[in-house]
Amino acid sequence: MGAVSDAVVMQNFDRLRQLALALAVLLLRAGEQVGLAGHPQPPRAGKGQILRLVEALATGLAAPAQDYAAALPLDFVRQGRAVFISDFLGDLSGLERSLAQAAASGVKGLLLQVLDPEEESFPFHGRTVFVSMGGSLAHETKSAADLRGLYLARLAERKAR
């Protein structure tokens, strides 16, 4: 979630937090109870919950320093709804366990993938060094354009999965 193609463009993680908050505000205005996965406070309704979510999203959820965020153990409200927001570019096994757990609890929902425009188009040419957000993975190529087709095919596979 640390990808960013332009200093003016916000990082994916910042987009994720804004989208989560906007969705939460809409749901709260509709009278729903809203909460955050992995947060100690349960889902609640009302305007006060907006302030709690703003604080949690602004301070409690820092951009992860590791390459891929670990899956959270989740306690789903039976027959509730869940929204998973991520770039979904890491290991999907934790997500798949969470989705199975949600389905077993009768939870329905959606997955919202947040990608930087350059992650979608892969406009790179020439010598390029790709570094993971945690910095532990790096790949250098002398001809990034040669990787474009393979990258876009793998991205399409990931989206389909």
Side-chain angles (χ1 to χ4, degrees):
M1 292 303 304
V4 61
S5 61
D6 185 328
V8 177
V9 178
M10 71 182 93
Q11 287 190 350
N12 286 356
F13 194 76
D14 293 328
R15 278 192 204 104
L16 176 145
R17 290 191 287 200
Q18 284 188 344
L19 288 168
L21 184 59
L23 179 59
V25 167
L26 291 172
L27 291 168
L28 287 165
R29 284 184 179 171
E32 299 291 339
Q33 294 183 10
V34 178
L36 293 173
H39 196 269
Q41 294 186 0
R44 295 182 182 163
K47 291 181 182 179
Q49 184 67 343
I50 294 173
L51 296 177
R52 287 186 283 276
L53 293 171
V54 167
E55 182 180 1
L57 289 168
T59 61
L61 292 178
Q66 69 270 23
D67 291 317
Y68 300 110
L72 296 170
L74 304 175
D75 292 324
F76 292 102
V77 175
R78 289 189 97 25
Q79 305 301 317
R81 301 290 184 263
V83 178
F84 294 82
I85 307 174
S86 175
D87 61 9
F88 300 115
L89 295 178
D91 179 18
L92 293 180
S93 61
L95 173 66
E96 290 167 344
R97 283 192 302 276
S98 293
L99 292 174
Q101 183 183 354
S105 297
V107 172
K108 296 179 181 177
L110 62 98
L111 304 175
L112 178 60
Q113 187 176 38
V114 178
L115 295 172
D116 183 273
E118 288 192 357
E119 289 176 305
E120 291 272 17
S121 63
F122 200 85
F124 308 105
H125 301 279
R127 181 183 176 273
T128 306
V129 179
F130 300 98
V131 180
S132 64
M133 56 189 246
S136 66
L137 302 172
H139 177 77
E140 180 177 357
T141 180
K142 292 181 180 180
S143 181
D146 292 345
L147 301 176
R148 186 173 193 276
L150 180 60
Y151 169 83
L152 292 175
R154 285 190 179 175
L155 182 60
E157 284 176 21
R158 178 53 62 107
K159 287 179 176 183
R161 185 170 169 194

